[in-house]
Amino acid sequence: MSKFELYNVVLKDISTEMRVFEYDLDDAYFKKIDSPEVQKGNVKAKVSVQKKMVTYELQFFIEGTVIIPCDRCLDDMVQSINYKEKLLVKFGNSFSEEDEIVIVPESEGAINIAWFLYEFIVLNIPMKHVHATGECNKTMVTKLKKHITRQKDDDDDDSSAVEF
């Protein structure tokens, strides 16, 4: 059994009725993915699959929290995740992604969504992730302030200043 077998969606088994798959993405899931962006979390994913004429429409509903490092103090912080995404899949000769459609080999008849779930979670994390004001590690903030220098000649434009 492969470590991501649980995330195989067998499309050939789906006719016209909608099928719903639910996943609990916990620390073990993130450890298996083995990617540096997110390594811990508690996320619920609901994936509905419906066969259209020649494609399958997968609707992803992802909600929960992940633990990521704060960009300012490097301590762990909780980031909420609430995301919806649609993915179109159709059968072809080999696996590929073309525009907004994922093509899976017809001989396999299935798609593994483990990596798609992870990508959708990571896409929902803001570019800048920092603790709320006053929640950063005070020791680290003190050290950062000590190393930040400002010149007397600075204009009133505070765009280069770092806020703590």
Side-chain angles (χ1 to χ4, degrees):
M1 181 168 145
S2 78
K3 65 182 179 178
F4 295 117
E5 189 172 329
L6 174 67
Y7 305 98
N8 282 338
V9 176
V10 181
L11 299 173
K12 284 186 173 180
D13 292 349
I14 299 172
S15 55
T16 55
E17 80 282 351
M18 179 184 295
R19 298 268 309 269
V20 177
F21 302 87
E22 294 187 16
Y23 303 96
D24 290 323
L25 310 176
D26 57 8
D27 294 351
Y29 164 81
F30 292 106
K31 186 175 182 171
K32 286 179 194 175
I33 288 287
D34 194 28
S35 187
E37 288 90 2
V38 178
Q39 297 178 355
K40 294 181 181 177
N42 185 11
V43 178
K44 305 277 187 212
K46 184 176 176 181
V47 182
S48 62
V49 183
Q50 177 128 32
K51 183 176 182 180
K52 302 294 182 177
M53 295 297 277
V54 294
T55 62
Y56 294 85
E57 182 178 276
L58 284 70
Q59 292 278 347
F60 292 81
F61 304 95
I62 300 171
E63 186 173 30
T65 58
V66 293
I67 308 298
I68 55 177
C70 172
D71 286 341
R72 185 179 303 131
C73 72
L74 303 178
D75 280 1
D76 284 347
M77 63 173 277
V78 177
Q79 176 66 52
S80 294
I81 302 294
N82 191 346
Y83 194 66
K84 294 179 184 177
E85 185 65 57
K86 179 173 70 171
L87 186 66
L88 297 176
V89 180
K90 71 178 187 177
F91 291 128
N93 293 325
S94 61
F95 184 86
S96 67
E97 291 185 45
E98 298 176 2
D99 298 321
E100 297 178 10
I101 297 178
V102 175
I103 299 173
V104 296
E106 190 167 5
S107 60
E108 292 179 19
I111 184 170
N112 188 294
I113 61 170
W115 187 253
F116 289 103
L117 290 166
Y118 183 78
E119 283 184 340
F120 296 150
I121 290 168
V122 171
L123 286 172
N124 197 247
I125 297 172
M127 290 290 286
K128 180 179 178 183
H129 33 90
V130 295
H131 284 107
T133 304
E135 292 184 17
C136 273
N137 178 320
K138 295 187 184 341
T139 304
M140 182 62 85
V141 170
T142 302
K143 289 180 181 182
L144 284 171
K145 283 182 179 179
K146 192 170 158 181
H147 294 284
I148 293 175
T149 59
R150 291 185 62 189
Q151 297 179 0
K152 283 185 174 182
D153 304 322
D154 284 351
D155 294 340
D156 290 335
D157 179 18
D158 250 357
S159 62
S160 64
V162 176
E163 292 182 28
F164 295 99

